Amino acid sequence: MLVVLTGFMLAGAVQAGPVLESIKKRDTVRCGVSSGVAGFSALGSDGQWRGLDVAVCRAVAAAVLGDAQKVQFTPLSSQQRFAALQAGQIDILSRNTTWTLSRDAGLNAHFAAITYYDGQGILMHKRFGVKSAKELKGAEICVQSGTTNEKNLSTYLGTQGITAKAIVYDNFEAAYKAFFSGRCQAFSTDVSALIGLKSSQSGKPDDYVVLPEVFSKEPLGPAVLRGDDEFFAIVKWVVFAMIEAEELGVGKANIEQALNSNNPAVQRLLGGAENLGKPLGLPRDWVLKIVQQVGNYGEVFETNLGKQSPLKLERGLNALWTEGGLMYAPPLR
């Protein structure tokens, strides 16, 4: 009986795994991001990285190190991203990356959560007069190699009997630049990225249209290397905490008032009524630091992708479950 009890006591103790230990030692979270996808991860003219994926990494740094600025960002191509994670060159891959079985089970990675529900589509210039992907007979469509986009496009064209041709480019920038320079009649990637490109790269956004067909499921989210369960749990619950904060109405804009809330769930979330940091090996106020320095999920979405951003994306599937979307956090208790 004593042996069993001792085992339970030891199981409750949190010991930092190798990734978490190295983060604490260097006092920096290393985050792999894209080389520039508007709304997700892009380097601004002021030298600052911004986007939803960037915010996730900053939130992890706020939780673990107490400072959302303690992040080193590494831009990675689609071909480089998982190799960098496997080689230990980054701690988190937060790079508009789709969670798939082969990646989760075959690339030594753990996807921690879904931060954006997306789907693949097609962008075209309005001068072609095309209203549907089914009218793309004979068209050349630019797409990036080594991505789910390349496979999805090939599958969609084949199953729909559309005799269009995929023109493959090694990296994202080369693919969309080829499209905008007229080397392809269409470009295919995730719808959120198409809207971002239309806004930021076309020069004349009103001249382009995203066709109505969405032909894939693209759940995007951060991934970590297998082998450090403690860090995996932290990244997972950081995302859930941001979603929960939005659901409870706790945000960067009202955090001071929230600290004095009479709502037990709010007090528990912010560390007043219960220490939710202890099982994760984090400080009691880890969620407070995230909300203060980064914001809740809704604030991050609106700033980078929604009505406060150039993209003006609707929440859609990325709304809270209480508002008809899919964003749902397991109970933080």
Side-chain angles (χ1 to χ4, degrees), residues 273-291:
E274 191 175 331
N275 187 357
L276 294 179
K278 186 176 181 180
L280 293 169
L282 294 176
R284 189 183 190 104
D285 62 351
W286 65 285
V287 181
L288 174 61
K289 284 187 167 64
I290 292 171
V291 176

Side-chain angles (χ1 to χ4, degrees), residues 120-147:
Q120 189 169 336
I122 294 174
L123 180 68
M124 291 199 73
H125 197 286
K126 288 180 179 178
R127 70 173 179 270
F128 294 110
V130 173
K131 304 296 183 184
S132 167
K134 295 180 181 179
E135 301 171 22
L136 289 173
K137 181 179 179 181
E140 293 185 332
I141 306 173
C142 288
V143 67
Q144 184 183 1
S145 66
T147 64

Side-chain angles (χ1 to χ4, degrees), residues 139-143 150 153-154 157 164-168 184:
E140 293 185 332
I141 306 173
C142 288
V143 67
E150 181 185 6
L153 180 62
S154 176
L157 295 176
K165 180 181 179 182
I167 306 298
V168 178
C184 305

Side-chain angles (χ1 to χ4, degrees), residues 82-121:
F82 284 102
L85 183 64
Q86 291 163 348
Q89 296 168 359
I90 55 174
D91 305 312
I92 308 173
L93 176 63
S94 188
R95 188 204 171 280
N96 58 296
T97 297
T98 302
W99 186 347
T100 69
L101 183 151
S102 59
R103 289 172 173 175
D104 190 67
L107 294 178
N108 203 28
H110 265 317
F111 279 83
I114 296 171
T115 53
Y116 191 90
Y117 291 91
D118 210 344
Q120 189 169 336

Side-chain angles (χ1 to χ4, degrees), residues 257-301:
Q257 296 93 316
L259 286 169
N260 299 313
S261 173
N262 293 322
N263 185 336
V266 171
Q267 284 298 316
R268 183 167 58 245
L269 182 72
L270 299 180
E274 191 175 331
N275 187 357
L276 294 179
K278 186 176 181 180
L280 293 169
L282 294 176
R284 189 183 190 104
D285 62 351
W286 65 285
V287 181
L288 174 61
K289 284 187 167 64
I290 292 171
V291 176
Q292 280 179 325
Q293 298 179 38
V294 182
N296 66 35
Y297 178 82
E299 289 174 317
V300 169
F301 184 99

